Amino acid sequence: MDLLKLIKNRISTEWKEAFNTNVDILNRKARDQDQKLETTNSRIDNLVLHSGGDSPNEVVDARVNNEGTIFDSLEARLLYSENKHASDVERLEIQDQSQASQLNQLNATIKELYNFSNAGISIYVSADRGNDQTGNGTQDNPYKTIQTAVNQIPLISRTGISIWIEEGVYLEDVVLTNLSVSALYFRAVQTIADPSASDLAVKLRSFKIAYSTGYYFMSGIQFVDQANAPVVSDQRRCVQVEQGGYLAIAGCKFAENVKSMDHTSVYAGGSSKLHIYGKSTFVNQNVCMSATLLAELRAGDIQGSSNLVGALADSGTVRASISSSFATTPTKTASYGLILTKGTVM
């Protein structure tokens, strides 16, 4: 409100005029302060969270966050918010790194499951030079055991895979399970044209394929140490393919005397298929080859002598023509087994 001026002439005109001038000055100063106060209030309104009132609580509101926490000062609240933001960013970065790590693990798992390469894979094994811990399966840095090489095979592969085995004695019981391959080859690096002429460079105890699909090939391997081979259904076996897969055996040798054992050299069971050829040699074996429960076995270009049973069809099918010089009982059937010695038009 403006100050009141003197109206009545009870004092001198000069003093009145000076007094009124001072009043005018004071009024102007008051109006200037009112304008500054209005500007200040406007700035405070922009500072507080809920502007529009004259209460000093408006300023207090600026120190309260959305969680209801009251800070000693606006600076403390802003600093808290900035620190929390920085902490949230750091947490998100850690989560991002964790997700990247999980993605890498997922990619590694996919790589184990699938082989996306169009090129064939070669894995090398050496009983002498190899190392299962530091080896990587290359020719210069091979694995020591065949099983370690097998463990590197993707569960699903659509390209050819070759496992090259250097000379040595591998007292292993190699097992392949639940694989789906296009073609998987087990090859001896050093080969002999006629296995009956001498021992082979690569010696292995036993080999098993189970619940797998695809084509499997084995060549240049001699089977030994059958007294310690695994017992399956009360008998020991050198080679077994069970419930799926097609296995071809060429140029292998079965010559350890096992006639006194319950033993089958090569066994096919379930829905498996087996082909034995390439001068594969059997000497002093109990049952050289067997097809059981709908399995199919084909034998041709095999050689050997002093065996008890050449081929057994136990509810399976055997396609082979085996001479009496090969085994005491060249062929034998059990249950609903079928043996075909030549082609038949039905």
Side-chain angles (χ1 to χ4, degrees):
M1 179 181 292
D2 291 346
L3 298 176
L4 295 176
K5 296 181 179 181
L6 292 176
I7 298 174
K8 297 180 179 181
N9 292 324
R10 295 179 181 177
I11 57 176
S12 67
T13 302
E14 182 178 353
W15 184 88
K16 182 179 69 174
E17 183 177 340
F19 180 83
N20 288 336
T21 299
N22 290 332
V23 170
D24 290 336
I25 293 172
L26 289 174
N27 283 333
R28 285 196 301 271
K29 294 289 185 181
R31 283 192 295 271
D32 288 344
Q33 291 301 319
D34 288 341
Q35 290 177 354
K36 290 180 180 179
L37 181 60
E38 183 179 356
T39 301
T40 301
N41 287 335
S42 176
R43 295 183 66 183
I44 292 176
D45 287 345
N46 291 332
L47 177 65
V48 298
L49 297 180
H50 302 287
S51 61
D54 296 330
S55 170
N57 290 334
E58 291 287 335
V59 179
V60 175
D61 287 344
R63 298 188 284 109
V64 182
N65 65 11
N66 62 331
E67 297 175 349
T69 302
I70 301 175
F71 296 85
D72 293 336
S73 64
L74 178 59
E75 179 186 15
R77 179 197 167 186
L78 294 176
L79 184 60
Y80 170 81
S81 298
E82 291 176 358
N83 289 338
K84 188 174 186 302
H85 174 72
S87 176
D88 290 342
V89 170
E90 182 180 3
R91 177 175 53 81
L92 291 174
E93 289 177 348
I94 293 174
Q95 289 180 350
D96 184 62
Q97 293 173 358
S98 176
Q99 290 175 352
S101 176
Q102 292 175 3
L103 180 60
N104 290 335
Q105 292 178 2
L106 178 61
N107 288 334
T109 301
I110 292 175
K111 186 177 180 181
E112 291 179 1
L113 291 173
Y114 299 92
N115 171 29
F116 291 112
S117 172
N118 292 324
I121 298 174
S122 290
I123 304 174
Y124 290 85
V125 179
S126 174
D128 181 47
R129 302 185 300 114
N131 190 301
D132 287 344
Q133 283 69 46
T134 61
N136 58 13
T138 60
Q139 190 170 7
D140 293 333
N141 193 14
Y143 295 118
K144 187 174 183 63
T145 62
I146 300 172
Q147 186 65 58
T148 299
V150 167
N151 294 344
Q152 312 311 309
I153 298 172
L155 293 179
I156 301 174
S157 177
R158 292 296 174 257
T159 61
I161 301 174
S162 294
I163 296 181
W164 295 93
I165 309 168
E166 292 186 3
E167 180 178 2
V169 178
Y170 300 84
L171 298 182
E172 302 180 51
D173 302 303
V174 178
V175 178
L176 291 76
T177 58
N178 298 304
L179 292 182
S180 176
V181 301
S182 175
L184 176 55
Y185 303 88
F186 292 84
R187 306 177 187 268
V189 174
Q190 299 88 353
T191 61
I192 296 176
D194 186 358
S196 67
S198 64
D199 285 345
L200 303 185
V202 175
K203 297 176 176 63
L204 176 65
R205 183 161 55 212
S206 71
F207 181 89
K208 178 180 179 180
I209 301 172
Y211 309 104
S212 298
T213 60
Y215 176 80
Y216 301 84
F217 176 84
M218 173 189 298
S219 68
I221 298 176
Q222 180 172 339
F223 289 86
V224 298
D225 191 31
Q226 290 307 292
N228 295 307
V231 176
V232 181
S233 299
D234 297 326
Q235 69 174 211
R236 303 182 193 274
R237 298 162 183 169
C238 297
V239 177
Q240 176 178 352
V241 54
E242 184 71 77
Q243 296 296 344
Y246 180 105
L247 174 62
I249 300 175
C252 290
K253 188 169 186 176
F254 309 81
E256 194 171 83
N257 194 331
V258 293
K259 288 195 290 186
S260 63
M261 299 170 54
D262 190 351
H263 186 281
T264 297
S265 304
V266 182
Y267 173 95
S271 58
S272 308
K273 298 182 185 300
L274 184 61
H275 184 197
I276 309 171
Y277 66 105
K279 297 186 182 301
S280 289
T281 301
F282 297 82
V283 179
N284 291 320
Q285 302 299 290
N286 185 359
V287 177
C288 295
M289 57 201 84
S290 172
T292 304
L293 296 176
L294 301 180
E296 296 185 31
L297 187 155
R298 166 78 171 94
D301 190 21
I302 60 175
Q303 56 190 0
S305 62
S306 302
N307 302 299
L308 295 182
V309 178
L312 170 64
D314 185 0
S315 293
T317 302
V318 173
R319 292 175 172 86
S321 179
I322 300 174
S323 69
S324 57
S325 63
F326 181 84
T328 303
T329 304
T331 58
K332 182 179 180 179
T333 61
S335 189
Y336 293 95
L338 174 65
I339 294 179
L340 302 175
T341 58
K342 63 180 181 179
T344 302
V345 177
M346 301 180 69

